[in-house]
Amino acid sequence: MSGRKSYQTEVVIAGGGLAGIVAACEALDQGRRVLLIDKDTREKFGGLAKESFGGVHLAGTPHQRRLGIRDSPELAWSDWQSVADYQPGDRWPRAWGQFYCENSIEYIFEFLDRRKIAFLPVVNWAERGLYGPGNTVPRWHIVWGTGHEIIHRLLQALEAHPRKRNLELLFDTEVSGIELANGRATGVRGRDMHDMPGDGEIQAQAEHVVIASGGICGGDLSRVRAHWYRPWGDPPEELLNGAHIYGDGMLHDKVAEAGGALTHLDLQWHYAAGVHHPAKRRPGDGLSLVPPRSALWLNARGERIMNPGPMLAYGDTRHLVASVLQQPGKYSWQVMNWKIAIKELAVSGCDYMTAFRYKKRLALAASLVFGNKELVNRLIRDCPDDIVTADTLDQLMERMDGKSLYGLKLDRARMEATIRAWDGMIERGPAYHNDDQLRRIANCLGYRGDRVRTCKFQKILDPKARPLIAIREFILARKSLGGIQTDLQCRVLRAADGQPIPGLYAVGEAAGFGGGGIHGKGSLEGTFLGGCVLSGHVAGRAIGRVV
Ligand SMILES: Cc1cc2nc3c(=O)[nH]c(=O)nc-3n(C[C@H](O)[C@H](O)[C@H](O)COP(=O)(O)OP(=O)(O)OC[C@H]3O[C@@H](n4cnc5c(N)ncnc54)[C@H](O)[C@@H]3O)c2cc1C
């Protein structure tokens, strides 16, 4: 292709992830003509949500009520604020956070429900907090069929939309600039990814421009390092990438050039249990594991990480990350055995969680009863860089040392003593469980959603539970909590005076999931997919109202 191609529409959306798709659905509902442009291929339409596990944060659902969970927007907002720890100037993030808690049923649950997206009956209890409050009650609603199902159903809805002729889709096309006239956004320009620079240019004129291009954690991680959260010290040398390959923040820069405000780019949501992705789609590609609660979390010297609290999944993700970053080498090991792994180990995302992804009820039931052997075998086979197994502790430590980085070696005597002390306490029985991790495991065993996926106080060196397994884990960059600042109609606000730039909107991760940082410092989990649906929905409605 050569020359310039021109488009004329009412709404142009840059980015076909969940937020862009929801904005498109809603704008079509409002009778608008929409052009959606994505840099990626048609096959990848849906962005990160298509790979996601599909956990959505909701407060006050019928699912919670059926389980006897009493929740309310007020309680949700109180929990949200305690994790967000907003700063005094955070007017818009705070307004968005409250809006999420007060409207998650109408704007997220009902929106998805109308498109036949169903949730599993048991609500999960993520981010319950460590020493401060987190989710007081379970709110993580898992979509049956994972995030893949969310996108599948939404694309079906677009296909069947009565105004489908008003929608035009353009793939393999990068939006590279925002057109402005008299301070108003009037369209975008871009280029066909298959053409040489200078060829295949496109121009799209529109009354409304929606930036839905995702976060800044993808790309080559240079922006993650440049905006690293200073209180954490320097970023680790080995940092894995779990975000969108095109999440490079290029359109954030274009918004800034247009006068828009970018806020809180140093607030990012990383995970502590990343391993090298077997598919190696790019350098440093990472797979985020859901770390077993019954494993012992050790540093590169084999010392247990306890500063100050225990290292336990489903408690406080930020605490896990901050704790690992204080360790020598800034990476860690989780030590467990086969029995723990098949019951508790999981992978964030849909690719490895096949029973959820393909809606296999029997396989899911079997994995809950007998353990997910398929998953653990696959991880052991696919991730030899980071996972070692052995029949004896000596062998295991030998193999772990073979993977030590930066000249750090295990203190084997100390590591063995730590594991034997842990097993000894379990052996003495629950009455003597004077260890914070064990007390929290007991708390997990009290909730039905966790009980099926938690071992009942499992000793690590138990000969009947072998082989022993150790997983070398790295910090994995995933989500940008900050982004383009918007008001409650998703209008991009000017850095100079805080007023909206006419015709310019931002949604989803590009907008920090709303307001340029709806989460403040931390998330209650499931708020990312939720924030994309919420902000996409709001933007589509707001655009529909403009005459
Ligand atoms: C494995 C995994 C599991 C996850 N699990 C969960 C979960 O269970 N719960 C939860 O809440 N969140 C989860 N998340 C996070 C969540 O999926 C994302 O935050 C969310 O989907 C982001 O959606 P988005 O539409 O804002 O951006 P993206 O999905 O990043 O989409 C942005 C789109 O914009 C396109 N684009 C970028 N730049 C340009 C450009 N210049 N021109 C044109 N197009 C461009 C990209 O190609 C992409 O299609 C998970 C993420 C991953 C990776």
Side-chain angles (χ1 to χ4, degrees):
M1 190 176 131
S2 65
R4 176 175 288 197
K5 220 167 166 191
S6 295
Y7 297 83
Q8 181 96 41
T9 186
E10 286 177 289
V11 185
V12 63
I13 301 175
L18 178 60
I21 291 173
V22 173
C25 283
E26 195 58 32
L28 284 183
D29 284 354
Q30 304 285 331
R32 298 292 182 167
R33 276 190 301 123
V34 177
L35 170 67
L36 188 151
I37 306 177
D38 200 290
K39 195 167 169 176
D40 221 331
T41 58
R42 178 179 275 273
E43 202 184 37
K44 300 273 179 61
F45 193 17
L48 289 180
K50 200 171 175 179
E51 297 173 28
S52 75
F53 191 57
V56 185
H57 177 91
L58 297 163
T61 61
H63 300 66
Q64 288 175 306
R65 283 195 292 279
R66 267 196 296 274
L67 293 167
I69 298 167
R70 274 175 278 161
D71 200 3
S72 67
E74 295 73 32
L75 183 60
W77 177 224
S78 162
D79 289 349
W80 187 297
Q81 289 176 88
S82 65
V83 170
D85 188 19
Y86 291 121
Q87 301 306 296
D90 285 344
R91 173 184 171 199
W92 293 112
R94 192 184 289 274
W96 269 94
Q98 187 166 4
F99 187 76
Y100 188 121
C101 296
E102 288 173 353
N103 295 282
S104 72
I105 298 302
E106 180 188 346
Y107 277 78
I108 306 170
F109 180 78
E110 287 172 3
F111 177 90
L112 297 174
D113 191 55
R114 275 198 299 278
R115 280 136 188 113
K116 300 190 171 48
I117 292 162
F119 294 97
L120 288 170
V122 176
V123 183
N124 272 34
W125 194 4
E127 288 303 288
R128 64 191 69 183
L130 190 61
Y131 294 120
N135 278 312
T136 304
V137 294
R139 297 194 175 104
W140 207 61
H141 295 66
I142 301 171
V143 170
W144 185 223
T146 70
H148 197 275
E149 174 80 359
I150 300 182
I151 296 301
H152 172 67
R153 293 279 180 187
L154 291 181
L155 297 190
Q156 263 185 349
L158 280 182
E159 193 57 37
H161 200 285
R163 299 198 185 97
K164 196 205 154 206
R165 65 179 188 289
N166 286 354
L167 173 68
E168 202 168 351
L169 302 171
L170 214 51
F171 295 101
D172 304 297
T173 306
E174 177 187 79
V175 173
S176 49
I178 300 167
E179 302 282 6
L180 293 160
N182 302 322
R184 177 182 182 95
T186 55
V188 298
R189 55 184 179 281
R191 65 177 186 98
D192 189 310
M193 298 287 287
H194 301 308
D195 283 311
M196 301 293 287
D199 276 347
E201 287 182 5
I202 67 128
Q203 190 159 35
Q205 280 189 337
E207 289 155 35
H208 309 277
V209 174
V210 182
I211 305 299
S213 48
I216 62 163
C217 285
D220 61 5
L221 289 184
S222 57
R223 293 193 80 138
V224 172
R225 290 184 186 279
H227 295 287
W228 192 252
Y229 183 61
R230 287 291 146 225
W232 283 345
D234 290 332
E237 207 169 300
E238 182 82 6
L239 180 64
L240 298 182
N241 194 341
H244 200 287
I245 195 159
Y246 293 139
D248 55 8
M250 192 253 272
L251 288 180
H252 288 64
D253 294 341
K254 297 297 168 190
V255 167
E257 282 169 25
L262 304 182
T263 54
H264 300 308
L265 295 184
D266 64 333
L267 297 180
Q268 297 159 7
W269 194 244
H270 303 320
Y271 290 98
V275 293
H276 292 84
H277 202 302
K280 294 190 176 60
R281 301 163 297 187
R282 56 186 153 175
D285 202 2
L287 190 65
S288 185
L289 303 182
V290 180
R293 306 173 232 237
S294 301
L296 278 181
W297 212 318
L298 311 176
N299 68 16
R301 294 208 182 99
E303 300 154 339
R304 187 165 174 207
I305 308 175
M306 291 281 277
N307 51 336
M311 299 284 284
L312 200 74
Y314 299 92
D316 181 341
T317 296
R318 221 172 130 78
H319 162 78
L320 296 180
V321 170
S323 300
V324 171
L325 288 170
Q326 287 170 33
Q327 304 306 314
K330 303 188 182 198
Y331 72 93
S332 64
W333 285 99
Q334 273 204 296
V335 176
M336 67 203 82
N337 56 40
W338 173 257
K339 207 165 161 186
I340 293 171
I342 60 170
K343 187 116 182 132
E344 301 186 9
L345 185 60
V347 178
S348 163
C350 67
D351 282 353
Y352 278 77
M353 306 304 284
T354 49
F356 291 91
R357 155 79 174 79
Y358 297 103
K359 299 198 264 186
K360 295 190 209 161
R361 282 178 208 281
L362 280 178
L364 178 58
S367 74
L368 292 174
V369 177
F370 304 112
N372 198 344
K373 296 171 192 157
E374 179 203 318
L375 172 76
V376 176
N377 276 324
R378 189 171 159 198
L379 285 172
I380 291 172
R381 189 192 63 224
D382 288 358
C383 305
D385 287 352
D386 297 314
I387 303 184
V388 292
T389 62
D391 289 326
T392 67
L393 185 58
D394 277 341
Q395 246 178 25
L396 189 81
M397 293 191 290
E398 184 70 32
R399 288 176 189 163
M400 288 168 70
D401 255 341
K403 297 194 176 293
S404 287
L405 297 179
Y406 321 123
L408 294 161
K409 288 284 171 203
L410 297 175
D411 177 340
R412 295 192 192 184
R414 187 161 178 180
M415 176 171 155
E416 180 166 351
T418 302
I419 295 175
R420 290 199 184 281
W422 168 261
D423 282 0
M425 190 176 288
I426 293 177
E427 179 73 36
R428 284 188 285 279
Y432 306 99
H433 284 178
N434 190 20
D435 181 291
D436 242 4
Q437 185 170 344
L438 286 171
R439 279 193 284 266
R440 284 164 195 276
I441 289 173
N443 171 256
C444 294
L445 291 168
Y447 176 58
R448 62 194 283 194
D450 292 320
R451 202 176 306 131
V452 287
R453 294 176 301 114
T454 309
C455 292
K456 203 169 169 194
F457 310 120
Q458 173 59 52
K459 285 184 288 179
I460 290 180
L461 298 180
D462 177 356
K464 293 196 292 298
R466 296 192 185 188
L468 296 167
I469 300 173
I471 308 181
R472 190 180 60 166
E473 297 172 343
F474 299 90
I475 303 295
L476 174 135
R478 177 78 99 206
K479 292 144 189 163
S480 310
L481 300 186
I484 302 165
Q485 193 175 43
T486 56
D487 66 7
L488 274 180
Q489 295 174 53
C490 295
R491 297 181 300 183
V492 174
L493 300 177
R494 266 197 303 258
D497 58 7
Q499 293 304 306
I501 299 177
L504 190 57
Y505 301 78
V507 294
E509 199 164 335
F513 303 92
I518 190 173
H519 296 97
K521 291 201 183 92
S523 161
L524 291 166
E525 282 294 354
T527 53
F528 310 105
L529 293 172
C532 288
V533 177
L534 183 74
S535 57
H537 196 157
V538 166
R541 269 198 197 181
I543 288 168
R545 277 200 300 270
V546 179
V547 282

